[in-house]
């Protein structure tokens, strides 16, 4: 278990009486890059929210970095080490400007302001958004919001990345930069995506979530 980032043991989840996940067993080991596909409504985002502690499973156990996580306080540490990209960028961005949004996570981790300035500068360069740093978030396009949301996750330098549809809404140039960054800078990630071409370039194996069950996707 010491080499595991995430383990789900017999995890089930229901919204009211509607069953979404049924006794899911899943492991993401440190150093693995894994994709997750499935039809709309299959529960892929729900699975990510359970890992982050935003939703509690109806039954089963959640282990993150070798410890079982049950209560809210258990997940406070988790959220500093797992970087979640929300599918909806508006859920990720809440500061007045792009620069402040990127700086928010590192400042919350206790980094000093000079270090944070360098982090913001380097992340903005990677994603080619230097020209957006002073821009109010509400003035961004949908594609720009997605890029900035990605930048806020990468600025945290988490141990493991959970990315929900990271390539959607990106133009080809930015998608190529993201692909390169995932290949060269990221060691451990779980990527939810409908874009199988993107997954083939960024992950080593793919799982299918369908009808409440998760299975290894043989056709990848």
């Amino acid at each position: 278990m010491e080499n595991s980032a995430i383990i789900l043991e017999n995890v089930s989840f229901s919204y009211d009486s509607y069953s979404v996940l049924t006794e899911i067993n899943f492991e993401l080991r440190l150093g693995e890059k894994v994709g997750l596909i499935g039809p709309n409504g299959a529960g892929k985002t729900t699975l990510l929210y359970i890992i982050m502690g935003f939703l509690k499973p109806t039954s089963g156990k959640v282990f993150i970095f070798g410890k079982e996580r049950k209560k809210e306080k258990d997940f406070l540490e988790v959220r500093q080490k797992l970087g979640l990209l929300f599918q909806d960028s508006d859920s990720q961005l809440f500061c007045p400007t792009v620069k402040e949004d990127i700086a928010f996570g590192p400042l919350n981790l206790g980094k000093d302001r000079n270090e944070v300035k360098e982090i913001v500068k380097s992340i903005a360069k990677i994603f080619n958004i230097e020209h957006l740093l002073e821009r109010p978030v509400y003035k961004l396009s949908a594609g720009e919001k997605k890029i900035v949301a990605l930048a806020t996750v990468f600025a945290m330098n988490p141990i493991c990345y959970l990315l929900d549809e990271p390539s959607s809404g990106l133009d080809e140039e930015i998608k190529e930069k993201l692909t390169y960054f995932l290949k060269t800078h990221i060691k451990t990630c779980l990527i939810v995506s409908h874009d199988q071409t993107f997954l083939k370039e960024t992950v080593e194996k793919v799982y299918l979530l369908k009808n409440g069950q998760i299975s290894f996707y043989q056709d990848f």
Side-chain angles (χ1 to χ4, degrees):
M1 190 177 282
E2 67 270 11
N3 290 325
S4 292
I6 298 160
I7 295 177
L8 305 179
E9 282 188 2
N10 300 316
V11 165
S12 298
F13 183 83
S14 299
Y15 286 108
D16 297 325
S17 59
Y18 177 67
S19 177
V20 181
L21 305 175
T22 307
E23 296 193 349
I24 293 282
N25 287 290
F26 173 77
E27 180 180 11
L28 177 68
R29 299 177 69 80
L30 293 169
E32 281 188 326
K33 297 178 181 180
V34 172
L36 182 63
I37 62 172
N40 289 332
K44 302 184 296 296
T45 297
T46 298
L47 190 76
L48 297 184
Y49 284 6
I50 287 172
I51 292 168
M52 294 296 292
F54 299 147
L55 294 173
K56 286 187 177 181
T58 310
S59 60
K61 296 181 179 181
V62 178
F63 297 88
I64 312 290
F65 302 122
K67 296 180 183 177
E68 186 176 359
R69 312 289 177 163
K70 294 181 180 179
K71 300 178 181 178
E72 174 64 17
K73 67 176 183 179
D74 297 331
F75 286 96
L76 294 178
E77 177 195 2
V78 166
R79 292 170 198 152
Q80 292 184 350
K81 296 178 179 179
L82 295 181
L84 173 66
L85 175 75
F86 290 89
Q87 191 169 345
D88 175 16
S89 301
D90 286 327
S91 301
Q92 199 111 28
L93 306 174
F94 45 81
C95 293
T97 67
V98 169
K99 179 172 65 177
E100 289 169 285
D101 254 319
I102 298 173
F104 181 83
L107 285 171
N108 255 18
L109 292 176
K111 297 184 183 296
D112 68 59
R113 292 193 171 271
N114 287 331
E115 188 178 358
V116 171
K117 281 182 182 178
E118 289 304 312
I119 290 171
V120 171
K121 188 176 176 181
S122 64
I123 291 290
K125 186 174 182 180
I126 288 168
F127 287 101
N128 194 25
I129 54 172
E130 293 102 326
H131 62 294
L132 297 179
L133 288 176
E134 303 297 337
R135 184 89 59 87
V137 170
Y138 72 88
K139 287 191 174 182
L140 300 177
S141 69
E144 287 170 339
K145 283 182 179 178
K146 174 58 70 84
I147 298 163
V148 172
L150 277 163
T152 66
V153 176
F154 289 117
M156 295 279 287
N157 193 27
I159 295 172
C160 174
Y161 291 78
L162 307 177
L163 306 179
D164 199 350
E165 299 290 351
S167 63
S168 69
L170 300 184
D171 62 36
E172 285 305 312
E173 183 183 353
I174 296 298
K175 193 188 289 190
E176 284 177 14
K177 284 197 171 191
L178 173 60
T179 299
Y180 176 77
F181 193 78
L182 287 168
K183 282 180 175 178
T184 57
H185 289 72
I186 306 308
K187 293 180 179 178
T188 309
C189 61
L190 174 59
I191 302 177
V192 170
S193 182
H194 284 98
D195 186 344
Q196 290 197 34
T197 302
F198 174 73
L199 288 178
K200 282 180 179 178
E201 294 177 349
T202 54
V203 304
E204 296 143 0
K205 58 184 174 181
V206 170
Y207 288 90
L208 172 66
L209 183 59
K210 189 176 181 181
N211 298 326
Q213 299 286 320
I214 198 166
S215 58
F216 186 65
Y217 188 58
Q218 302 288 350
D219 296 333
F220 180 68

